[in-house]
Amino acid sequence: QVQLVESGGGLVQAGGSLRLSCAASGSIFSINVMGWYRQGPGKQRELVAGITSGGSTNYADSAKGRFTISRDNAKNTVYLEMNSLKPEDTAVYYCHADVLLRRITAYQEYWGRGTQVTVSS
């Protein structure tokens, strides 16, 4: 099957930066959309940023101007550069991907297990 593994989370001071990465592996033919979601304490999971295989991006209003999503299609990897971090950015960040498997002609959705980002004041 397919596995998504996130890395790069940690503890930072307000105003600091982090770079998250998510690598997909398994029986992958291609990946359409990849994205980052987050879920803070007592909050519903929300989309932070998404990127298509062609490079089109979209961001949550809270992320615009501070976060940048990118991907390396050859490595099946997506990145999230986070700058000017605020305490309200504290959450578990999850990688999501729509994956076309080698023997299935329809996209399947996969989630990573998440990486913790904590921003202190």
Side-chain angles (χ1 to χ4, degrees), residues 48-116:
V48 178
I51 184 168
T52 69
S53 60
S56 297
T57 60
N58 68 288
Y59 297 90
D61 287 341
S62 61
K64 291 179 181 177
R66 300 189 299 126
F67 295 0
T68 301
I69 189 170
S70 61
R71 64 189 285 174
D72 184 335
N73 290 334
K75 297 181 178 180
N76 289 325
T77 300
V78 63
Y79 307 92
L80 185 67
E81 299 177 10
M82 304 187 293
N83 301 309
S84 302
L85 285 163
K86 306 173 182 179
E88 48 263 47
D89 294 318
T90 295
V92 177
Y93 284 70
Y94 297 92
C95 179
H96 178 268
D98 294 326
V99 180
L100 182 62
L101 302 180
R102 289 188 293 198
R103 297 182 64 86
I104 301 177
T105 57
Y107 286 96
Q108 306 291 313
E109 299 185 11
Y110 290 90
W111 289 92
R113 300 184 72 88
T115 184
Q116 177 70 47

